[in-house]
Amino acid sequence: MKEPEKKLVFNTLLKQYAHFGLPTEGIDDKTDFTIHNLRDIHLELPFKSPVFRPNFFSFLFVKDGRGKYTTDNLTFDSSPGTIYFTNPGHYKSHEWFEIGEVYLITLSESFLKENVHPDIFEEFPFLLAETVHPRVLSPDAFFKFEQLYLQINKEYLSKSPYRNRLIGNLFVVLLLKIKEYFWKDYNPIYEGNRSSQIVKTFKRTLEQHYRDLSNGKIHQVFRVQDYADEQNLHPNYLSNVIKSKTGKPIGTWIAEKTIAEAKSLLQNSSTSIKEIAFILGFSESSHFSNYFKKYTDTSPVLYRKQHSTITS
């Protein structure tokens, strides 16, 4: 019997490129943000990737290039003037035939919340869209985006101690431009069919729930049953919809959100690790430490030591 094809899952662009055998010299492994011209990566064309699932956000700006990309079961062309983005959880593949200037930005949810906007999905709900169709802009319209991503690239390459904050502020402008040009009338709830609405509601509930936990508004961590109850669904049905529509089990969504919130609290607050464990629903700080290390390969203590923005 033929074994099923193994799907590749990557938490960082660095790991993705390393697996594909692509150059990684220009990628900073100390931050959850990258930007570069794909011309510097894809030295041999044509290039076709295997199917993979990234757990980070991607924004692509095609000034001069030609290729194709697939998100889940939808395939789109990449041509001059194309702008598109994808969010975590989708199965993707791409191929390139020509590359002149094609800039790719990738960033994690943690980076978005820490450096762009603390309520990122409330301010920019289109980021939760399941599949966003690309847009092809006129040269004049595209030029406005080019100015922004080139300035972001300049800051990314700088040695400024305020680099992430500068990138975050520029990225706010970039998202506002995307909102202006693409999603002026976007409705984050309406998505055409029942399953899409279920996924949208789950993602928004998940985001709001962890925001309330971090703010101390509530103290009870939701389980799958609670997310199902929010939509009057059987938990098995909700789990099946989330898995089939996003390619990721609901438990993985919850785990990744827990880790994202834990990282944010460890990095940006003086809250004790014991209290963080309690906030995120762990009865013992040792359980939280083991959980955190399982998903990050480091302990909460070491992560805070390496990433804390709080000065003594």
Side-chain angles (χ1 to χ4, degrees):
M1 181 181 294
K2 184 179 179 180
E3 291 187 6
E5 181 183 359
K6 185 178 180 180
K7 302 295 185 181
L8 304 172
V9 180
F10 301 106
N11 292 320
T12 68
L13 188 70
L14 181 68
K15 292 180 179 178
Q16 176 187 318
Y17 278 10
H19 185 90
F20 291 169
L22 297 171
T24 60
E25 289 81 3
I27 298 177
D28 184 352
D29 63 350
K30 295 181 175 61
T31 183
D32 291 336
F33 183 98
T34 70
I35 178 171
H36 58 276
N37 189 347
L38 293 186
R39 180 184 59 202
D40 300 328
I41 300 296
H42 297 291
L43 304 179
E44 295 184 10
L45 296 175
F47 172 84
K48 184 174 183 179
S49 77
V51 175
F52 63 98
R53 194 180 77 203
N55 284 330
F56 47 81
F57 291 84
S58 300
F59 293 77
L60 198 78
F61 304 89
V62 185
K63 180 180 180 181
D64 178 20
R66 188 170 62 88
K68 291 184 178 181
Y69 78 95
T70 299
T71 300
D72 295 330
N73 60 345
L74 299 175
T75 299
F76 307 107
D77 290 323
S78 297
S79 57
T82 300
I83 296 176
Y84 67 85
F85 84 88
T86 57
N87 51 29
H90 298 286
Y91 287 109
K92 297 170 56 180
S93 64
H94 56 260
E95 52 186 319
W96 289 103
F97 312 116
E98 300 172 6
I99 298 177
E101 182 178 307
V102 179
Y103 271 81
L104 173 67
I105 293 175
T106 70
L107 66 171
S108 69
E109 179 181 323
S110 295
F111 188 93
L112 280 169
K113 295 184 70 175
E114 292 160 14
N115 299 287
V116 180
H117 198 290
D119 295 327
I120 186 69
F121 301 123
E122 188 171 299
E123 180 68 19
F124 302 107
F126 58 80
L127 290 173
L128 295 178
E130 287 185 59
T131 302
V132 178
H133 289 239
R135 302 294 171 92
V136 179
L137 303 184
S138 68
D140 288 344
F142 188 90
F143 178 67
K144 297 178 182 179
F145 287 92
E146 184 182 17
Q147 289 179 300
L148 284 167
Y149 67 67
L150 289 179
Q151 183 63 38
I152 290 173
N153 186 62
K154 181 180 178 181
E155 299 299 341
Y156 179 72
L157 297 175
S158 77
K159 303 297 184 181
S160 170
Y162 307 110
R163 185 183 70 159
N164 284 0
R165 290 177 62 185
L166 288 166
I167 289 174
N169 281 295
L170 287 167
F171 204 79
V172 169
V173 180
L174 187 67
L175 287 176
L176 288 170
K177 280 293 180 187
I178 290 175
K179 192 174 184 179
E180 175 186 2
Y181 275 84
F182 293 12
W183 290 278
K184 189 181 298 182
D185 302 316
Y186 178 76
N187 182 339
I189 298 299
Y190 180 75
E191 189 79 35
N193 64 59
R194 175 61 175 154
S195 292
S196 294
Q197 291 176 14
I198 289 171
V199 172
K200 284 292 168 297
T201 301
F202 165 71
K203 287 181 179 180
R204 293 186 68 189
T205 303
L206 182 71
E207 173 64 21
Q208 184 64 53
H209 177 62
Y210 275 82
R211 187 184 306 133
D212 290 344
L213 281 173
S214 294
N215 292 338
K217 292 182 179 179
I218 58 174
H219 302 287
Q220 183 66 43
V221 175
F222 275 8
R223 307 303 178 192
V224 176
Q225 181 68 59
D226 300 304
Y227 289 106
D229 289 344
E230 284 287 305
Q231 300 192 60
N232 297 313
L233 300 172
H234 190 282
N236 289 346
Y237 179 73
L238 175 65
S239 297
N240 289 338
V241 169
I242 299 301
K243 180 66 167 64
S244 65
K245 293 292 288 185
T246 71
K248 195 160 59 172
I250 192 170
T252 302
W253 279 99
I254 295 172
E256 290 176 355
K257 176 61 68 175
T258 301
I259 294 299
E261 290 297 327
K263 285 182 174 180
S264 182
L265 288 167
L266 288 167
Q267 181 170 342
N268 299 294
S269 78
S270 57
T271 307
S272 70
I273 291 175
K274 182 177 181 180
E275 180 65 15
I276 291 173
F278 175 77
I279 289 171
L280 296 176
F282 294 87
S283 57
E284 301 287 343
S285 57
S286 60
H287 296 164
F288 167 65
S289 295
N290 291 335
Y291 187 92
F292 189 88
K293 191 167 186 177
K294 174 184 175 182
Y295 287 96
T296 66
D297 294 323
T298 190
S299 69
V301 173
L302 185 58
Y303 184 89
R304 168 166 276 172
K305 184 177 180 181
Q306 293 175 337
H307 297 88
S308 179
T309 61
I310 306 299
T311 56
S312 302

